Amino acid sequence: MSIKKHACETELQKSCSQLSLKTAKNRLLAFWDIFEKEDTVLVVINADPDALAAALAVKKLLRYKAKSVTIAHPNEIRRVNNQSMVDRLKIPLVRLKDVKPDDYSKRVMVDSQPHHLPVFEKLHFNAIIDHHPLGGEWSESSFVDIRPDYGATSTMMVEYLRAAGLKPSIALATALFYGIKVDTQNFEQKSLLADGVAFRYLFTIANRDLVRKFELTDLRRSELKYFAQALDALKYSKGRYYTHVGKVRSPDVLVIVADFLNHVGEIDWVFVSGIHGEKLVVIFRCDGYRKNAGRIAERSFGELGSAGGHKGAARAEVPLKNLELGDKEFTTETLKRFIMRHIEAKKP
């Protein structure tokens, strides 16, 4: 690490540490103090549920503190769940490439840090609010609130709203509620008591039926055909399901098919593959009890491409040229042969 970078990170950690000692009210007042009535504010996010919710909360916090607030993101929102969230909650968004950041008098980043994307590093931010680990080189910012121990930025924004005495609308509460659920993976991942307190506060305000719809909306109508293809190619052997779906628009559909097949009670293993672009993508699922999906993924495809994961879930991505299939097509039988050599040879 360079001396300059170390100095920047040390100064940032000191700033964040000092900020964390203040009350929620003091943090709010320090944040508000940056803005003036005539400010035009650009809120920059890498759009996902937590970031979208946090940006909406900033918009509410600045409703009477600034002239306007625009939310911009550089990434294309591909996941159907996230598209559903944006559409159903009518979240106003613009693409970052379609605006001129210098046209805004103030710029705010939430649920991210400048080093996360090259496009962010080019911008100066007046305020940064995030829950990811500290990193990168930093330019001078008037306000920095980064709390890596928090499960979600949405939790932090609930604290700001409550300190301001602002009750979130149903739409905002729904977004924040969903943001906490996603980033804590329903509290199965890192979280604090603060995340639970925020979640409980939002519980009676948010539209939980709508949140459930976001969670369930992970398929396009055009992708239903992949289920038919997967079931048609499905092969069963010794408590294991194998199926090759063929060419897919997105690898996400392979995950959905694998999770669906994993619901079958007497099945110990699920292996689902498909072709996306010039790569073979293979999804591995098991119960993780005396089994290790990540290990089997590495044994089966590690020498041909990237492969690995956890005990219960894993993934492999292999360039088709590395498979050396010649004129032959990859099929369910091919998938089965690749995996059987390793799952039968050694206990995972």
Side-chain angles (χ1 to χ4, degrees):
M1 182 184 294
S2 69
I3 294 175
K4 180 182 177 183
K5 183 175 181 181
H6 177 74
C8 287
E9 291 190 357
T10 301
E11 185 60 31
L12 178 61
Q13 289 169 351
K14 179 180 177 183
S15 173
C16 292
S17 176
Q18 290 173 344
L19 193 59
S20 67
L21 295 175
K22 298 181 179 180
T23 65
K25 187 69 172 181
N26 285 336
R27 279 194 293 266
L28 170 71
L29 294 175
F31 176 68
W32 271 347
D33 194 49
I34 299 171
F35 305 97
E36 298 177 358
K37 289 279 189 179
E38 295 305 309
D39 274 331
T40 54
V41 181
L42 181 67
V43 181
V44 179
I45 61 172
N46 188 22
D48 66 13
D50 191 29
L52 290 163
L56 277 180
V58 170
K59 191 174 178 70
K60 185 172 182 67
L61 285 169
L62 297 181
R63 184 175 180 182
Y64 299 112
K65 300 292 181 178
K67 185 177 181 180
S68 66
V69 177
T70 301
I71 304 172
H73 61 105
N75 60 312
E76 183 176 351
I77 302 175
R78 297 181 183 277
R79 293 185 66 89
V80 186
N81 317 70
N82 298 349
Q83 290 174 356
S84 178
M85 177 185 181
V86 171
D87 293 342
R88 292 177 182 273
L89 295 181
K90 296 180 171 56
I91 300 176
L93 298 173
V94 297
R95 292 297 294 271
L96 188 58
K97 63 181 177 62
D98 295 330
V99 300
K100 296 179 179 178
D102 289 340
D103 288 348
Y104 296 83
S105 59
K106 298 287 166 56
R107 287 176 291 278
V108 178
M109 170 167 280
V110 291
D111 195 42
S112 198
Q113 296 172 43
H115 72 283
H116 287 179
L117 289 174
V119 68
F120 292 163
E121 293 179 336
K122 300 174 183 177
L123 303 177
H124 166 73
F125 295 97
N126 302 89
I128 300 169
I129 302 175
D130 185 31
H131 76 116
H132 293 96
L134 299 172
E137 295 192 32
W138 292 79
S139 58
E140 190 69 25
S141 294
S142 303
F143 180 88
V144 177
D145 184 7
I146 299 177
R147 294 180 246 171
D149 50 341
Y150 272 56
T153 304
S154 291
T155 297
M156 299 168 66
M157 299 316 301
V158 169
E159 293 180 356
Y160 279 91
L161 290 168
R162 298 188 74 176
L166 296 173
K167 181 179 179 180
S169 64
I170 293 176
L172 176 55
T174 301
L176 292 166
F177 187 82
Y178 185 47
I180 295 172
K181 279 176 68 71
V182 170
D183 264 37
T184 64
Q185 293 187 24
N186 287 314
F187 292 92
E188 292 182 4
Q189 296 297 314
K190 179 195 70 176
S191 59
L192 291 177
L193 176 60
D195 295 293
V197 170
F199 189 79
R200 184 64 189 88
Y201 169 73
L202 297 167
F203 189 83
T204 56
I205 308 172
N207 184 328
R208 299 192 301 279
D209 291 330
L210 198 52
V211 168
R212 182 64 175 158
K213 181 62 178 176
F214 299 157
E215 293 173 325
L216 292 174
T217 304
D218 48 18
L219 273 176
R220 297 174 178 86
R221 281 189 298 167
S222 61
E223 292 174 332
L224 288 174
K225 64 183 179 183
Y226 296 125
F227 275 84
Q229 292 168 201
L231 293 174
D232 186 56
L234 188 65
K235 291 191 180 298
Y236 171 83
S237 175
K238 299 180 180 179
R240 305 165 196 144
Y241 269 154
Y242 305 84
T243 186
H244 179 67
V245 181
K247 292 184 178 180
V248 295
R249 176 179 175 179
S250 167
D252 290 345
V253 75
L254 301 176
V255 175
I256 296 166
V257 170
D259 288 339
F260 172 75
L261 293 174
N262 203 30
H263 287 173
V264 180
E266 61 268 29
I267 297 300
D268 298 320
W269 284 94
V270 172
F271 308 99
V272 177
S273 62
I275 306 295
H276 180 250
E278 296 300 316
K279 286 185 177 181
L280 171 75
V281 179
V282 185
I283 306 300
F284 300 73
R285 292 290 185 268
C286 68
D287 59 22
Y289 180 66
R290 295 183 178 178
K291 307 176 188 71
N292 193 312
R295 197 175 301 157
I296 289 298
E298 290 173 8
R299 289 176 185 168
S300 303
F301 295 99
E303 294 182 358
L304 300 171
S306 63
H310 304 286
K311 284 187 176 182
R315 180 186 185 116
E317 294 192 11
V318 179
L320 292 175
K321 62 182 180 182
N322 292 356
L323 295 173
E324 298 180 352
L325 295 173
D327 295 332
K328 297 179 181 179
E329 289 188 6
F330 195 95
T331 66
T332 298
E333 281 295 340
T334 316
L335 172 67
K336 185 178 176 182
R337 284 198 304 273
F338 264 95
I339 293 170
M340 285 283 286
R341 287 188 308 217
H342 302 279
I343 202 169
E344 292 290 346
K346 298 178 182 179
K347 288 292 183 181

